[in-house]
Amino acid sequence: MKSILLIGLGRFGKHVAMKLHELGHEIMAIDKCEDRVQEVLPYVTNAQIGDSMNEAFLKSLGVGNYDVCIVAIGNDFQGSLETTSLLKELGARLVVSRAARDVQAKFLLRNGADEIVYPEKQLANWTAIRYSSDHIFDYMELDDDYAMFEIDVPSSWLGKTVGEINIRQKYNINIIAIKRNGKLDLTITPDTRFTSDEALLVLGKNKDIQKCFRI
């Protein structure tokens, strides 16, 4: 369990709070808007109404005591930048800031952010890849080169085994798991045989996966 300071409770911040609550973390939530603070009360440990650009207010929170500080401010880049900078000056251990564009990310990283998240960009990439092909069910980008796909079993593989397909040697792709009826089977062996009622979780370079599955 981690202690997390979450600043900015718009739609993105609220969803972050809900997921952190589901994962069992301690959350201090901050926003200038009382209504937004009220909305997240069921999901957070504590919440306060306040201006994160006010140094005295941030200092009173003891930001250095939190494992992670997340700046989820969306529509006020100046506010996000100042908040990020103040957090680092006040001794925050890890500052994760939201950016909408690369130029914002550059400024945030120069002014105290340790990590950057791109909610809109990441969701746009997922949507484009997920819905541009009929046989992709899910997608997760790991870095600029590698990704994990949940993908339909190619018809040419049906009835064959992992060893017969030899995907690792041919394409440098690893089959991580097979998904049947919503459940994952991680016990993949060369004798595992593919059937039509399952999907694959595969890991590899984007270009290799695209070539192998004709994405």
Side-chain angles (χ1 to χ4, degrees):
M1 180 177 66
K2 289 189 175 183
S3 58
I4 297 171
L5 175 61
L6 175 61
I7 300 173
L9 301 174
R11 284 175 294 180
F12 174 65
K14 180 180 178 181
H15 283 292
V16 171
M18 293 169 69
K19 189 61 180 182
L20 289 172
H21 171 72
E22 182 183 321
L23 295 171
H25 297 294
E26 291 185 350
I27 312 156
M28 166 63 86
I30 304 297
D31 199 283
K32 293 188 293 185
C33 176
E34 182 178 357
D35 289 342
R36 289 178 175 178
V37 172
Q38 291 294 328
E39 286 180 9
V40 301
L41 284 178
Y43 312 108
V44 300
T45 312
N46 292 292
Q48 287 193 34
I49 304 165
D51 184 355
S52 61
M53 290 186 287
N54 184 312
E55 183 175 354
F57 172 68
L58 273 189
K59 192 172 184 178
S60 72
L61 300 174
V63 298
N65 296 320
Y66 294 94
D67 296 307
V68 185
C69 295
I70 301 175
V71 182
I73 299 170
N75 296 322
D76 179 6
F77 179 64
Q78 183 65 32
S80 177
L81 189 62
E82 289 189 26
T83 298
T84 297
S85 180
L86 282 172
L87 285 170
K88 210 61 180 180
E89 289 176 10
L90 293 171
R93 302 182 199 174
L94 176 65
V95 179
V96 180
S97 298
R98 173 185 180 175
R101 300 186 300 275
D102 289 339
V103 66
Q104 292 184 353
K106 289 179 181 178
F107 279 108
L108 289 165
L109 289 168
R110 289 174 185 170
N111 287 272
D114 297 295
E115 301 285 345
I116 299 295
V117 292
Y118 292 88
E120 293 86 357
K121 181 179 178 180
Q122 289 162 346
L123 181 57
N125 288 344
W126 182 90
T127 301
I129 290 172
R130 166 65 179 85
Y131 292 103
S132 62
S133 177
D134 293 334
H135 55 285
I136 296 174
F137 303 125
D138 204 352
Y139 158 82
M140 182 172 66
E141 187 176 278
L142 303 179
D143 61 21
D144 291 340
D145 295 320
Y146 287 86
M148 184 181 296
F149 283 75
E150 180 183 339
I151 198 161
D152 202 6
V153 178
S155 58
S156 60
W157 293 13
L158 296 177
K160 297 181 180 178
T161 66
V162 171
E164 289 171 337
I165 299 300
N166 202 17
I167 186 174
R168 182 180 293 179
Q169 293 298 321
K170 288 182 178 179
Y171 297 100
N172 199 30
I173 294 170
N174 291 305
I175 299 176
I176 305 300
I178 291 178
K179 192 172 184 179
R180 301 184 185 92
N181 300 318
K183 296 183 178 180
L184 292 179
D185 180 2
L186 302 175
T187 56
I188 310 300
T189 71
D191 296 324
T192 299
R193 194 172 299 276
F194 299 112
T195 63
S196 59
D197 60 345
E198 58 194 23
L200 305 177
L201 263 68
V202 298
L203 171 67
K205 286 188 175 181
N206 278 302
K207 63 179 182 180
D208 293 331
I209 294 175
Q210 290 167 3
K211 180 180 179 181
C212 177
F213 296 101
R214 299 178 182 177
I215 299 171

